């Protein structure tokens, strides 16, 4: 025999009640179950609100009307007209009673816990009367049972303690004398010795089901709810949370105690004692197997089972010399709190015994504070204890699982995930069972923290990178296209999801917490975007406070650079193809790197040199593995390469430059390439990465242009000057051709000095053969002495640059 408990959402609407009836019909051949029902979804909260409103002399009548209507609507939809009257009448009586009670609270301005329980009990009573009548259309023996008469408790209203022996006897007797009935039992409510209504605590219908299960030695206790069982995390916080097939009672208890509201923690106790499995199933996805909570679960490969969280928590910290070495201090503190019914969620004590921190629900914080002040008055006055203070606005995050016990490195993984995402940990507690590690963090960080930890522990699941992009020019556009094309591949092969959460150009910006659909990002930016404002963009990005966040700068402008430090200090990684930042003052370059290191995030700029070619990465690997750079020689201007490779035969210099610009091989302003400035920046960045603290002025640039071209004031004037100086360029071309050489603009780093010179090289030179817009770089190092390490390939163009940015993005967080 099974107990089937249906929660608030499962009795909350016409559709869900139809589903419930369907589930019961499926059981027709099997042994008759007992059904336990909650109040309709939202009704308990609403009753509570009405009770508080009445006490505060505020209106409650509207809400009362609304819940009445909610029940009546279902009855009218699911019962034929002739069958409606008896139920409507019975419910009407309940609502009249309820109104009288609320009116009394209103008149007296007083709401005791006892009255509150009475008011709440109407939620379960109404839903059960309603559903049992509807069920009678399908099962002639359906019978309403007021469960409060059978579950006997003490008088601790709000969270009463069950008298197990008496309760089990009453339930068994009742069940035996109603053997032919299909029972619909009210969850959550119970009664004390005097027959007054008590309740089992919020979420207590689950517990009712377990109590009935234990009393009747049920085969299984089925908890029917609105999700696919117990998930790895709260699905409202973590979109990727997934259902756990099996849990031990302890694991389920820990997860639910720390916030997984899908099952009420005390539910596990009667089931555990009687070895009755609990299964959590989805009313709206009946065929899904759900989660089994039972003895002897199979060992799982998952390092942890789940992550739960308590949204609002307060902490109190007690410290002072009076505690050190004083046996029994903690005992005195916690027995005081327990005696006064203050539930302590978590405790940590420093090993010096100099301080104890404990967490309580915010509603209990002030009570705890005044209890301590009273109990330890003497110690406080003698300054042996510091006056404690309450700290609010905090949350608890807990990771839970029996495997934690056997697996080292779990806490390391937890803390590094939190650290990388800039989540400050206020206190840590590890249960001695090692089934649980909990941390207290700021409430505003909770969602980010749970997602980051989820990603860190379920690495074989998709990891999400949340990306904010500046710039929608050639590179930005191409990147979005590549991201969109690669999405399925990434998901399948890299278990990675890249979500663009924000985009901005100089005119407009658009941020969307749900992510931006890349198939029409341009339209969204146009239609939904607001006026661009970089400070605001970054502010909103920070406010979203997402895990694994990446700020991508696809511009060539100065403005974003000023924000890099702030972004890195907010624990957000930076990926940039913008060379301006790293090639400005050396101190700034160092500051970026230090900020990234300090905050445990990445600062990647592979595309600063040679577009997508692995140049920066190669240099970094050489340096990190202890090699020493003796010399770097490079052609790093794809533009100039292209120009020299095509400046042949009859072609004129300015024509070739124009062609390069039209093909997108130049900076937006081609002068930046031809005056050597862009090349200088790249050489400077390489030199810095090779360990030299150089500034722009330390780089000697031999111009490849006559002075008049360099002095041009606009792009048009520049082209005109190139044309005027055609003879100069023709000369170069002919001289090279006659000596069977080629023109090459080559940068060199040697002995800490950087120079860029125009050279004519013959076929003995490694840079002789170079086609199109290719870049080439050769590293001569201690290890690569006789034959340098050479990287060569296309070093310009939106396609390869965007691909390099893409690679940097997916490398974020790979360490
Ligand atoms: P019911 O009304 O059926 O008792 P509850 O609202 O009490 O349902 O509990 C189910 C809800 O618990 C889910 O809708 C989900 O939002 C929330 N929840 C929080 N943490 C978890 C978790 N780890 N697994 C499943 N659900 C969770
Ligand atoms: N209706 C009660 C509540 O909302 C009990 C339950 O749903 O389990 O807390
Ligand atoms: Mg519940």
């Amino acid at each position: 025999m099974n107990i089937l408990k249906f929660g608030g959402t499962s009795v909350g609407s016409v559709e869900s009640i139809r589903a419930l009836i369907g589930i019961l019909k499926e059981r027709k051949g099997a042994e008759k179950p007992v059904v336990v029902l909650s109040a309709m979804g939202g009704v308990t909260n609403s009753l509570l609100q009405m009770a508080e409103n009445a006490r505060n002399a505020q209106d409650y009548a509207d809400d009362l009307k609304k819940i009445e209507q909610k029940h009546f609507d279902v009855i009218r939809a699911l019962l034929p007209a002739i069958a409606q009257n008896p139920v409507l009448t019975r419910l009407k009586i309940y609502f009249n009673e309820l109104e009288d009670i609320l009116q009394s609270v209103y008149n007296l301005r007083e709401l005791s816990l006892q009255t509150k329980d009475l008011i709440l009990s109407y939620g379960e009573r109404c839903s059960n009367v309603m559903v049992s009548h509807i069920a009678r259309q399908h099962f002639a023996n359906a019978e309403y049972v007021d469960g409060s008469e059978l579950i006997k408790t003490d008088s601790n209203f709000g969270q009463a303690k069950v008298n197990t022996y008496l309760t089990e006897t009453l339930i068994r007797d009742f069940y035996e004398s109603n053997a032919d009935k299909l029972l619909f039992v009210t969850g959550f409510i119970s009664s004390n010795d005097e027959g007054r209504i008590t309740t089992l605590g919020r979420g207590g219908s689950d517990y009712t089901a377990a109590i009935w299960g234990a009393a009747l030695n049920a085969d299984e206790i089925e908890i029917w709810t609105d999700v696919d069982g117990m998930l790895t995390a709260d699905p409202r916080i973590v979109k990727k949370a997934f259902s756990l097939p099996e849990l031990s009672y302890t694991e389920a208890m820990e997860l639910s105690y720390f916030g997984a509201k899908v099952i009420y923690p005390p539910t596990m106790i009667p089931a555990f004692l009687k070895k009755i499995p609990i299964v959590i199933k989805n009313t709206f996805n009946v065929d899904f197997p759900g989660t089994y909570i039972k003895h002897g679960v199979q060992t799982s490969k998952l390092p942890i089972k789940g992550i739960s969280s308590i949204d609002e928590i307060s902490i109190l910290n007690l410290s002072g010399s009076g505690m050190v070495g004083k046996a029994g201090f903690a005992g005195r503190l916690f027995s005081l709190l327990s005696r006064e019914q203050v539930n302590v969620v978590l405790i940590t004590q420093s090993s010096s015994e100099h301080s104890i921190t404990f967490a309580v629900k915010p509603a209990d914080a002030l009570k705890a504070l005044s209890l301590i002040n009273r109990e330890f008055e003497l110690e406080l006055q003698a300054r042996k204890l510091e006056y404690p203070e309450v700290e609010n606005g905090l949350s608890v995050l807990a990771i839970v699982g029996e495997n934690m016990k056997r697996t080292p490195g779990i806490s390391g993984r937890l803390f590094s995930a939190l650290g990388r995402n800039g989540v400050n940990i206020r206190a840590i507690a590890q249960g001695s069972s090692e089934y649980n590690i909990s941390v207290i963090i700021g409430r505003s960080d909770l969602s980010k923290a749970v997602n980051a930890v989820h990603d860190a522990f379920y690495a074989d699941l998709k990891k999400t990178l949340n990306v904010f992009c500046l710039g929608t020019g050639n590179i930005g556009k191409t990147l979005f296209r590549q991201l969109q094309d690669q999405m399925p591949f990434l998901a399948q092969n890299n278990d990675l999801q890249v979500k663009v959460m924000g985009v901005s150009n100089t005119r407009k910006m658009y941020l969307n917490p749900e992510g931006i659909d890349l198939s029409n990002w341009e339209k969204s930016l146009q239609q939904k975007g607001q006026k661009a404002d970089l400070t605001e963009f970054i502010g909103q990005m920070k406010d979203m406070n997402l895990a694994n966040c990446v700020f991508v700068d696809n511009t060539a402008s100065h403005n974003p650079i000023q924000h890099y430090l702030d972004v890195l200090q907010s624990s957000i990684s930076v990926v940039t193809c913008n060379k301006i930042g790293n090639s400005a003052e050396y101190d700034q370059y160092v500051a970026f790197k230090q900020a990234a290191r300090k905050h445990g995030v990445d600062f990647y700029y592979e595309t600063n040199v040679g577009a997508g070619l692995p140049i920066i990465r190669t240099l970094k690997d050489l340096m990190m593995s202890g090699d020493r750079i003796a010399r770097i020689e490079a052609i790093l201007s794809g533009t100039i390469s292209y120009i020299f490779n095509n400046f042949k035969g009859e072609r004129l210099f300015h024509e070739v430059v124009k062609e390069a610009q039209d093909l997108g091989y130049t900076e937006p302003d081609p002068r930046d390439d031809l005056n050597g400035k862009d090349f200088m920046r790249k050489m400077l960045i390489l030199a810095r990465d090779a360990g030299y603290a150089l500034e722009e002025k330390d780089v000697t640039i031999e111009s490849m242009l006559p002075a008049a071209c360099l002095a041009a004031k606009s792009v048009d004037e520049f082209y005109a000057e190139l044309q005027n100086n055609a003879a100069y360029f023709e000369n170069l071309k002919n001289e090279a051709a006659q000596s069977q050489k080629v023109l090459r603009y080559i940068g060199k780093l040697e002995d800490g000095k950087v120079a860029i010179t125009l050279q004519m090289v013959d076929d003995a030179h490694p840079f002789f053969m170079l086609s199109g817009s290719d870049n080439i770089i050769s590293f001569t190092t201690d290890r690569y002495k006789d034959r340098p390490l050479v990287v060569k390939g296309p070093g310009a163009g939106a396609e390869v640059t965007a691909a390099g940015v893409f690679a940097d993005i997916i490398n974020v967080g790979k360490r």
Side-chain angles (χ1 to χ4, degrees), residues 336-344 358 360 364-365 367-368 371:
L336 163 76
L337 295 171
S338 131
R339 199 168 59 237
E340 299 290 335
Q341 316 247 356
V342 173
N343 180 30
V344 177
F358 63 93
V360 294
D364 290 335
K367 181 170 171 191
L371 286 170

Side-chain angles (χ1 to χ4, degrees), residues 206 229-236 244 247 251-265 268 280 306-311 398 400:
D206 301 332
M230 176 76 88
L231 311 180
T232 47
D234 186 337
R236 290 163 301 182
L244 294 159
L247 290 171
E251 287 172 331
M253 179 94 131
E254 295 274 341
L255 281 169
S256 59
Y257 179 75
F258 282 97
K261 122 176 219 264
V262 67
I263 189 158
Y264 184 49
M268 264 59 76
I280 308 179
I307 305 157
S308 27
S309 53
I310 305 176
D311 199 20
V400 172

Side-chain angles (χ1 to χ4, degrees), residues 633-649:
E633 274 185 295
I635 292 181
L636 291 176
S637 171
T639 320
I640 299 176
S641 290
Y642 181 85
I643 292 169
F644 285 151
N645 282 331
N646 289 278
F647 182 42
K648 284 186 200 137

Side-chain angles (χ1 to χ4, degrees), residues 352-369:
S352 68
E353 296 183 27
H354 198 261
S355 84
I356 294 184
T357 301
F358 63 93
V360 294
K361 291 269 163 66
D364 290 335
L366 289 179
K367 181 170 171 191
L369 185 68

Side-chain angles (χ1 to χ4, degrees), residues 5 38-39 44 124 188 202-206:
K5 176 261 172 179
S38 290
T44 308
E124 266 65 13
F188 178 53
R202 291 303 307 273
S205 298
D206 301 332

Side-chain angles (χ1 to χ4, degrees), residues 23 26-27 220 222-232 240-246 262 278-292:
I23 292 165
E26 285 280 300
R27 309 289 164 106
E220 274 181 13
E222 302 176 26
I223 304 291
W224 289 84
T225 182
D226 60 347
V227 282
D228 284 340
M230 176 76 88
L231 311 180
T232 47
K240 286 180 288 187
F242 59 95
S243 175
L244 294 159
E246 285 188 347
V262 67
I278 301 174
V279 52
I280 308 179
K281 302 234 342 154
N282 190 347
T283 308
F284 308 94
N285 187 12
V286 179
D287 295 328
F288 191 83
T291 301
Y292 266 90

